[in-house]
């Protein structure tokens, strides 16, 4: 496993398990346990995934010490605002049954609400109080990040955004790298859709004796992008972490970069205004 050092000196694994749409209860519990057994040390959940309780239970009951696991959760859109964010964090912590969270993210900027700066200030307070080891954002575009950097004292440690071969987000990545904000890709496998069967990807995979998913994850990592692939399938959970034993050539990286078509599978951050899912 590769780790990265965030801008506040906290170490974060470059690869973790995402648990969006993983059913609460035994499915989430077994999936997190399988990931920890396979060597994963980062679990990415969110209040809106409604599985924080099972994630927390799997972590508490695992043989891996809590301090070796990096736990991310996120503040849902309904709870923008200073006091609301503080309360939402306590509620997540209660559901997780943990003493602290490693990374707490604002899930979406919700620009129409105009409250993400105030909300981020609550995250700064949680950080100062030692309840979170790092704070950051998700789905923030350059303009949103600029407002945070201008108005707040802590530069976000992470920006988690949609990235895959059909949505490469080069400009946003470059901006974040300038400010030492670690980019983390959500839907890194394009939710299991076309990118996995693209001939450019399958050809490179055949050349390396790797799967298309492994090639895509490797491409992210070599771009300096952290990844949180989701799978509830034990063999895929194992497959997705076997990406540290091969290297894509410059030409292969360029060929995958060339697939970009700015195609989102999720919402545009400037248009997202959903409170309920
Ligand atoms: N911040 C945000 O707004 C946001 C939004 C979306 C997601 N996320 C986070 O990012 C995580 C990952 O994104 P995602 O779940 O949308 O999509 P993803 O990880 O790109 O893709 C998951 C899909 O790909 C399949 N899959 C996994 N490994 C595979 C492999 N090796 N070969 C073939 N298919 C494979 C999975 O199937 P099976 O599970 O059936 O194996 C699942 O259907 C989420 O779980 C969540 O933690 C964050």
């Amino acid at each position: 496993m590769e780790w990265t050092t965030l801008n506040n000196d906290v170490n974060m694994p470059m690869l973790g398990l995402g648990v969006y749409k993983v059913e609460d209860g035994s499915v989430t519990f077994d999936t997190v346990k399988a990931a920890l057994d396979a060597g994963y040390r980062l679990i990415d959940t969110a209040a809106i995934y409604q599985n924080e309780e099972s994630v927390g239970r799997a972590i508490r009951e695992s043989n891996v010490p809590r301090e070796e696991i990096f736990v991310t959760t996120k503040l849902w859109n309904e709870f923008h605002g200073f006091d609301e964010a503080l309360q939402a964090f306590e509620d997540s912590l209660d559901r997780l049954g943990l003493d602290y969270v490693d990374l707490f993210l604002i899930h979406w900027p919700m620009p129409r609400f105009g409250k993400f700066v105030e909300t981020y200030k609550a995250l700064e307070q949680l950080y100062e109080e030692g309840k979170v080891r790092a704070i950051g954002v998700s789905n923030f575009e350059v303009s949103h990040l600029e407002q945070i950097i201008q108005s707040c004292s802590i530069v976000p440690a992470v920006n988690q955004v949609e990235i895959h071969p059909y949505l490469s987000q080069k400009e946003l990545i470059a901006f974040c790298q300038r400010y030492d904000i670690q980019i983390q890709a959500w839907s890194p496998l394009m939710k299991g859709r076309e990118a996995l069967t693209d001939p450019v990807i399958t050809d490179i995979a055949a050349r390396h004796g790797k799967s298309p998913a492994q090639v895509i994850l490797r491409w992210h990592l070599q771009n300096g992008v952290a990844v949180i692939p989701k799978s509830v399938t034990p063999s895929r959970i194992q497959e997705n972490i076997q990406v540290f034993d091969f290297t894509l050539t410059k030409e292969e990286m360029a060929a995958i970069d060339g697939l970009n078509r700015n195609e989102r599978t999720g919402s545009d951050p400037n248009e997202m205004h959903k409170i309920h899912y």
Side-chain angles (χ1 to χ4, degrees), residues 128-162:
E128 301 298 351
E129 289 170 356
K131 292 178 172 168
V132 291
R133 294 176 67 227
I135 55 174
V137 294
S138 177
N139 300 300
F140 274 47
E141 307 263 76
V142 168
S143 66
H144 311 132
L145 290 168
E146 281 173 338
Q147 287 180 64
I148 294 280
I149 291 164
Q150 268 163 27
S151 318
C152 303
S153 33
I154 302 175
V155 175
V158 170
N159 186 19
Q160 183 186 112
V161 297
E162 179 176 0

Side-chain angles (χ1 to χ4, degrees), residues 20 23 39 69 73-74 101 110 122 125 130 133 151 203 217 237 270-271:
Y20 177 42
E23 199 187 323
I69 307 173
T73 195
K74 313 184 193 85
V101 161
M110 308 295 280
Q125 181 170 312
R133 294 176 67 227
S151 318
D203 283 0
L217 294 171
I237 291 172
N270 280 307
E271 302 304 321

Side-chain angles (χ1 to χ4, degrees), residues 47-66:
I48 195 67
Y49 302 168
Q50 298 185 0
N51 55 19
E52 287 172 312
E53 285 178 16
S54 309
V55 166
R57 190 163 61 82
I59 288 169
R60 289 195 313 274
E61 293 181 15
S62 94
N63 299 324
V64 183
R66 165 67 184 97

Side-chain angles (χ1 to χ4, degrees), residues 106-248:
I106 300 179
H107 208 141
W108 291 88
M110 308 295 280
R112 286 191 216 170
F113 285 15
K115 283 191 185 174
F116 64 74
V117 167
E118 175 192 333
T119 306
Y120 190 79
K121 288 185 175 171
L123 269 60
E124 290 185 315
Q125 181 170 312
L126 294 168
Y127 179 74
E128 301 298 351
E129 289 170 356
K131 292 178 172 168
V132 291
R133 294 176 67 227
I135 55 174
V137 294
S138 177
N139 300 300
F140 274 47
E141 307 263 76
V142 168
S143 66
H144 311 132
L145 290 168
E146 281 173 338
Q147 287 180 64
I148 294 280
I149 291 164
Q150 268 163 27
S151 318
C152 303
S153 33
I154 302 175
V155 175
V158 170
N159 186 19
Q160 183 186 112
V161 297
E162 179 176 0
I163 307 180
H164 44 70
Y166 290 172
L167 178 69
S168 60
Q169 302 260 37
K170 287 287 178 191
E171 244 176 68
L172 182 56
I173 294 174
F175 178 89
C176 288
Q177 287 175 342
R178 269 206 300 288
Y179 284 92
D180 199 10
I181 300 169
Q182 176 63 51
I183 282 270
Q184 192 177 46
W186 63 254
S187 295
L189 301 174
M190 205 190 172
K191 297 193 164 82
R193 297 184 195 165
E194 311 95 276
L196 281 175
T197 51
D198 189 292
V200 169
I201 304 284
T202 53
D203 283 0
I204 295 172
R207 222 177 290 150
H208 287 272
K210 287 284 182 178
S211 72
Q214 289 170 325
V215 166
I216 292 175
L217 294 171
R218 186 70 216 168
W219 167 77
H220 285 290
L221 295 169
Q222 285 183 221
N223 276 329
V225 172
V227 286
I228 44 170
K230 169 262 177 188
S231 179
V232 293
T233 313
S235 61
R236 287 176 172 172
I237 291 172
Q238 286 177 13
E239 175 187 326
N240 293 345
I241 199 177
Q242 306 303 319
V243 291
F244 300 102
D245 56 356
F246 74 112
T247 306
L248 299 174

Side-chain angles (χ1 to χ4, degrees), residues 25-37 54 57-58 232 234 237:
S26 63
V27 180
T28 294
F29 182 86
D30 292 347
T31 301
V32 172
K33 191 166 182 313
L36 292 173
D37 288 346
S54 309
R57 190 163 61 82
V232 293
I237 291 172

